[in-house]
Amino acid sequence: VVGPSTQVARHWGTPAALVFIDGGHGVQPARDDFSGWTPRVAPGGVLAIHDVFPDPADGGRPPYEDIYLPALASGRFTELSATGSLRVLRCAGTP
């Protein structure tokens, strides 16, 4: 599927076993990816987020502050692994 992330997410109907977010690094694109895609991760599925930098000296903050942290805070996701700037979370389902 080719198209803007927000448009594709709006029309995505099938629960996804894997969602890999390697999107825009601005605040709004990160928030749009979070709101558009995290609800589509199936229970037991994986959410992978690229360019997660907890230390501001290492890179941009939106993937960390507006996708990774809210996903963990939602209670739906737990961290499986962290490799470099890639974070992999497992979806537990609806909190």
Side-chain angles (χ1 to χ4, degrees), residues 1 4-6 8 11 20 28 34 42-43 50 53 59 65-66 76 84-86 93:
V1 176
S5 177
T6 54
V8 173
H11 297 285
F20 177 68
Q28 195 59 53
F34 176 81
H50 191 242
F53 297 106
E65 292 175 347
D66 297 302
R76 289 189 66 223
S85 69
L86 178 67

Side-chain angles (χ1 to χ4, degrees), residues 10 15 27 30 32 39 47-48 51 56 58 71 78 83 85 88 90 95:
R10 271 196 307 273
V27 170
D32 289 345
L47 172 64
D51 295 330
D58 293 334
T78 56
T83 304
S85 69
V88 179
R90 168 89 58 215

Side-chain angles (χ1 to χ4, degrees), residues 75-94:
R76 289 189 66 223
F77 295 92
T78 56
E79 188 167 270
L80 289 176
S81 68
T83 304
S85 69
L86 178 67
R87 299 298 182 273
V88 179
L89 311 178
R90 168 89 58 215
C91 180
T94 306

Side-chain angles (χ1 to χ4, degrees), residues 49 51-55 60-70:
I49 311 160
D51 295 330
V52 175
F53 297 106
D55 183 345
R61 301 296 288 170
Y64 175 72
E65 292 175 347
D66 297 302
I67 303 172
Y68 172 75
L69 290 179

